[in-house]
Amino acid sequence: MREIVLDTETTGLDPYADHRLVEIGCIELINHMATGEHYHQYINPQRSMPKEAFDVHGLGDEFLAKQPVFAEVVDDFIKFIGDDSKLIIHNAAFDMKFLNAELGWLNKPLIAKDRAIDTVQMARKKFPGSPVSLDALCRRFKIDNSNRTLHGALLDSDLLALVYLELLGGRQHGLILDPNAQAQSDKDQAVRAGQSSKPFRAPRPHVAKPEEIAAHQAYISEKITDALWLKE
């Protein structure tokens, strides 16, 4: 069974109010196990970035102006997600609305709504009345999200893959391929049982390359510094 964990970043909340995609991150799972295959793309929205959106993800006009427009990358994106793989998305209605708007403007086939598995709905059903943001679920499952100082589509997909597996019942739900992973699983279960003080840190289904994280964080840091300087 092939599934795609997917996240996007945008310029705002509504594609029909002149907002666009600026980043897509996807991670491939086979039988709930990461394969190492992923898709990641920054996108030129062909419009300016509102401050409210910049404060969320740190992607600004100068950086995005150098990226391809969606029409230039759409075929690679469609190829990666395939025709029928389920899409694991946190608050699926939001991301699906943007993706289908962009696809529709290019006369490309839309993504069927029933392909999406919404982890927000999964979490609300499992933990009624509790916070279900990605950060809240990472805290609940003791998943290390210390790199998530700002939103990023690939990093968030990475974390969501771990959250999704926990919502399904934990790593024992999937096939363990590595004997070392079985030992880690035992440690994880001990943590949940209160037998260890160390936080749960499951193997990352996809770890963004250090240079990718460093480049993204350096860019964000530079822009935040510039913004603070302009306020002085």
Side-chain angles (χ1 to χ4, degrees), residues 9 22-23 40 42 49 51 53-64 146-156 211-229:
E9 300 298 338
V22 295
E23 186 183 8
H40 181 231
Y42 293 112
M49 180 65 67
K51 180 182 183 302
F54 176 83
D55 289 344
V56 170
H57 49 60
L59 300 173
D61 296 337
E62 182 180 354
F63 174 76
L64 292 172
S146 56
N147 281 333
R148 194 179 190 243
T149 54
L150 290 171
H151 290 218
L154 188 60
L155 176 59
D156 286 1
E211 56 267 29
E212 292 176 336
I213 294 175
H216 187 69
Q217 291 183 335
Y219 169 78
I220 290 170
S221 178
E222 176 186 351
K223 291 305 175 185
I224 290 176
T225 300
D226 291 346
L228 292 174
W229 180 82

Side-chain angles (χ1 to χ4, degrees), residues 128-197:
S130 298
V132 293
S133 69
L134 186 56
D135 282 335
L137 291 171
C138 284
R139 288 193 296 271
R140 173 180 285 276
F141 294 127
K142 294 182 173 60
I143 294 170
D144 180 6
N145 65 342
S146 56
N147 281 333
R148 194 179 190 243
T149 54
L150 290 171
H151 290 218
L154 188 60
L155 176 59
D156 286 1
S157 293
D158 186 8
L159 294 171
L160 182 57
L162 294 172
V163 166
Y164 173 58
L165 195 53
E166 289 298 312
L167 289 171
L168 290 174
R171 289 202 302 123
Q172 67 274 18
H173 182 89
L175 176 66
I176 295 179
L177 300 177
D178 186 338
N180 292 328
Q182 180 63 64
Q184 180 64 46
S185 179
D186 294 340
K187 292 179 182 178
D188 297 341
Q189 293 180 26
V191 169
R192 294 190 188 92
Q195 299 170 14
S196 171
S197 60

Side-chain angles (χ1 to χ4, degrees), residues 64-112:
L64 292 172
K66 301 173 184 177
Q67 308 306 318
V69 298
F70 187 66
E72 295 176 287
V73 300
V74 62
D75 290 336
D76 287 340
F77 169 68
I78 292 173
K79 180 179 179 181
F80 185 84
I81 66 170
D83 297 326
D84 56 7
S85 299
K86 290 293 187 179
L87 306 178
I88 315 304
I89 308 174
H90 204 64
N91 190 15
F94 178 85
D95 300 81
M96 291 285 282
K97 178 173 64 175
F98 269 91
L99 289 167
N100 278 333
E102 295 276 4
L103 291 168
W105 292 328
L106 297 175
N107 296 315
K108 297 288 186 178
L110 303 187
I111 303 170

